[in-house]
Amino acid sequence: MNDILKKKLRQLNTLVELSSLINSTLDTMEIKERAICAATHLLSAEAGSLILVDQDTEELFFEVAFGERGEELKEIRLKKGEGIAGWVLETGEPLIIDNVQTDHRFSKSADEKSTFVTRNMVCVPLKTKDRVIGVLQVINKKEDSFDEEDRDALVALANHVAISIDNASLYQELKEAFYCTAMALAEAIEKRDPYTGGHTKRVMDYSITIGKAMGLSKRELEYLELAAILHDVGKIGVKDDILLKEGKLTPEELAEMVRHTKYGAEILNHFRHLKDVAVGVKGHHERFDGTGYPDKLCGEEIPLIARIIAVADSFDAMTTDRPYRKAIDSKRAFEELTTHMGTQFDKKVVETFIGI
Ligand SMILES: [Fe+2]
């Protein structure tokens, strides 16, 4: 097998491996970072960068830069059409440049900023179905200069990267739409009871702060956030005369009121992928000593996100005015939480909250 064929085969293998690595995540930033590492590795180069278009100003900016002093490049913004990146973006054509310093399209701002000397470069467009979203550029071949095979390999990689970024953005939009729906639903329930205005947002903020301090994973934090937003969604099934009653509830009314945890879980169980959120919603009135509701779960049988929401929910209830009593200050609310550690609340959660 001749050298060119061998090189092509090696690049093809690397390309397949790197493309599946890029495709294995739906996190847009992770895709971009992996893309730059993959591009520089694929072409045996010293550095690389991913330049995107700001949709509002049409300026180009360095989204991810890999190599020496890559961070400083992020401050640079190029005008529409400026620089080699601007040319590739406007024409949609890939480009190999053997001597960048003498090319009339070259904008020196990146080199000046990073004190990096660009010798040669391959720059290719990132094309999605209907537009060019940016460019991928690879700088300084470690040995020799870039050739047509390098350019073609980078074009192939860029096609994968563009599709991955597009998919991840769609997924992100879908997630945001769901999140907004959840917020709207929570607000609709809050609107029935004017005294609870802003309660959901505060419970969410306290819960996330505790969750982060307790070292929850990214996914667990997402579940916690949704469960905190939707913790009282089941109140939609509780009649107004019980929900808004100012005096003490009768045993029958109380029995109806406590059902909001079950109703909430039932509503969320329609979403198969939200099982962990549903158990968090269902368990937010369980007590650590097993005397809570609806299932009288005890200790760590209660899902952690429910134990966190229980503390956040109670703290907010104590520190805001309600029709039947006045708010107490944070210091007293913390004392209350401490008093009920191990009985009503999880000690670790309360200690973390107070520690923050
Ligand atoms: Fe509740």
Side-chain angles (χ1 to χ4, degrees):
M1 207 187 298
N2 69 32
D3 283 351
I4 295 176
L5 259 178
K6 268 189 199 159
K7 187 186 168 197
K8 242 191 156 119
L9 195 64
R10 207 170 42 240
Q11 268 190 342
L12 200 64
N13 280 332
T14 318
L15 182 65
V16 172
E17 271 173 40
L18 295 174
S19 299
S20 57
L21 183 72
I22 291 167
N23 277 322
S24 64
T25 175
L26 279 167
D27 182 318
T28 347
M29 205 52 194
E30 220 170 298
I31 292 172
K32 291 168 186 168
E33 281 166 1
R34 287 182 190 186
I36 293 302
C37 289
T40 48
H41 179 69
L42 184 68
L43 268 59
S44 304
E46 286 177 12
S49 50
L50 187 108
I51 299 170
L52 295 181
V53 188
D54 183 324
Q55 297 301 329
D56 297 325
T57 62
E58 293 193 325
E59 285 177 331
L60 307 177
F61 63 97
F62 286 77
E63 174 78 343
V64 190
F66 176 71
E68 267 180 71
R69 309 182 75 165
E71 275 304 304
E72 293 174 27
L73 291 178
K74 289 185 183 169
E75 294 161 23
I76 299 171
R77 292 183 87 86
L78 299 170
K79 288 187 198 74
K80 190 183 174 199
E82 195 186 343
I84 294 165
W87 186 89
V88 170
L89 197 87
E90 287 214 315
T91 59
E93 294 295 327
L95 201 61
I96 308 173
I97 303 179
D98 289 329
N99 189 346
V100 171
Q101 296 295 329
T102 58
D103 193 282
H104 69 280
R105 290 162 293 202
F106 180 54
S107 160
K108 288 194 165 52
S109 52
D111 275 15
E112 279 163 6
K113 195 87 195 168
S114 66
T115 62
F116 182 88
V117 180
T118 307
R119 286 185 281 111
N120 46 32
M121 179 193 287
V122 185
C123 190
V124 303
L126 283 168
K127 290 181 180 171
T128 62
K129 286 183 285 291
D130 49 4
R131 63 198 165 95
V132 184
I133 55 166
V135 302
L136 193 56
Q137 62 181 26
V138 174
I139 300 158
N140 292 357
K141 183 90 172 169
K142 282 182 183 157
E143 292 152 20
D144 284 325
S145 46
F146 295 110
D147 57 22
E148 277 76 21
E149 271 89 41
D150 289 325
R151 180 198 58 201
D152 294 349
L154 194 60
V155 167
L157 182 75
N159 289 339
H160 279 281
V161 173
I163 293 169
S164 297
I165 292 177
D166 219 19
N167 285 345
S169 306
L170 282 174
Y171 176 71
Q172 199 54 39
E173 276 172 32
L174 205 67
K175 253 171 73 173
E176 273 168 29
F178 186 78
Y179 175 88
C180 290
T181 311
M183 279 304 264
L185 204 58
E187 202 181 313
I189 293 148
E190 261 186 21
K191 288 267 189 282
R192 287 174 67 198
D193 182 357
Y195 279 95
T196 57
H199 173 68
T200 306
K201 172 82 174 61
R202 289 189 300 271
V203 172
M204 183 186 85
D205 290 342
Y206 298 146
S207 299
I208 291 295
T209 310
I210 298 170
K212 280 185 181 162
M214 290 185 82
L216 265 61
S217 69
K218 201 173 160 204
R219 174 158 289 198
E220 285 169 327
L221 285 173
E222 282 178 10
Y223 291 153
L224 174 62
E225 185 173 27
L226 273 176
I229 294 171
L230 295 167
H231 70 280
D232 273 342
V233 70
K235 282 187 177 170
I236 212 156
V238 178
K239 289 189 202 93
D240 273 355
D241 51 352
I242 299 175
L243 188 70
L244 305 176
K245 187 170 174 181
E246 295 198 3
K248 211 165 175 269
L249 297 176
T250 66
E252 294 75 32
E253 288 167 340
L254 196 62
E256 176 60 16
M257 188 67 171
V258 304
R259 275 186 210 118
H260 79 276
T261 50
K262 276 190 171 176
Y263 295 159
E266 281 164 16
I267 292 168
L268 292 177
N269 277 333
H270 287 285
F271 302 91
R272 253 188 314 125
H273 65 292
L274 293 186
K275 277 204 164 27
D276 291 319
V277 178
V279 293
V281 167
K282 194 176 183 191
H284 80 277
H285 284 292
E286 297 287 1
R287 292 171 51 115
F288 206 69
D289 59 7
T291 61
Y293 63 84
D295 296 321
K296 296 200 183 322
L297 297 179
C298 186
E300 294 191 356
E301 283 176 355
I302 309 163
L304 177 58
I305 62 171
R307 280 179 268 146
I308 293 174
I309 295 168
V311 170
D313 189 21
S314 300
F315 180 79
D316 187 63
M318 286 189 279
T319 51
T320 46
D321 285 332
R322 293 293 158 104
Y324 41 88
R325 52 143 187 81
K326 280 271 168 214
I328 59 171
D329 62 28
S330 306
K331 190 170 171 284
R332 279 197 51 210
F334 284 135
E335 283 164 10
E336 277 297 307
L337 292 176
T338 310
T339 306
H340 297 97
M341 278 190 321
T343 49
Q344 187 173 353
F345 307 113
D346 181 346
K347 189 168 180 273
K348 270 187 286 178
V349 176
V350 174
E351 284 176 347
T352 306
F353 191 32
I354 294 173
I356 302 161

